[in-house]
Amino acid sequence: MPVQASKVNIGRIEDFPPQSGKTVEVLKWSIAVFHLSNGSMQAVENKCPHKGGPLAEGIICGDHVYCPLHDWKISTTDGKVQEPDTGCVQTFPVDVEDGYVYLTIE
């Protein structure tokens, strides 16, 4: 039986300062939402696969976030950890409509 996706309003675009992350809690997930310098929004599971570091507190560079605990570099677009480290985090689609930010959770 397929799982139905939920589209959840998580706030207004101005609630997400550029070049930084913000933690939102949606259903069973803690999610790091990033407003990138190019204006796009990305969302990933807020837990580094290495030691569980809070990715929303990491430093953003381009479309990557650096884990604040051990500096692992993780793509905000596909969730993959940059080599030589390994692992990945769940990503979530983000839409901005009429100034509001929505996450799609499956």
Side-chain angles (χ1 to χ4, degrees):
M1 186 161 142
V3 176
Q4 185 174 352
S6 297
K7 190 171 183 178
V8 180
N9 180 333
I10 58 168
R12 296 194 53 79
I13 189 78
E14 58 265 18
D15 297 334
F16 299 88
Q19 291 288 117
S20 63
K22 181 176 180 177
T23 302
V24 297
E25 304 291 333
V26 178
L27 301 175
K28 66 175 185 158
W29 295 98
S30 177
I31 301 172
V33 181
F34 301 100
H35 190 171
L36 304 180
S37 61
N38 67 5
S40 70
M41 302 283 294
Q42 299 290 344
V44 300
E45 180 180 1
N46 191 29
K47 185 177 179 184
C48 178
H50 177 227
K51 296 279 185 179
L55 295 179
E57 296 176 18
I59 295 173
I60 300 293
C61 183
D63 62 356
H64 288 82
V65 60
Y66 289 84
C67 177
L69 295 184
H70 298 103
D71 212 30
W72 279 32
K73 185 178 181 182
I74 301 168
S75 170
T76 61
T77 57
D78 64 13
K80 292 182 182 175
V81 174
Q82 184 178 23
E83 293 182 357
D85 301 315
T86 60
C88 66
V89 294
Q90 175 76 38
T91 60
F92 302 90
V94 182
D95 296 302
V96 178
E97 300 171 6
D98 297 323
Y100 289 92
V101 181
Y102 297 88
L103 289 179
T104 300
I105 309 293
E106 293 191 27

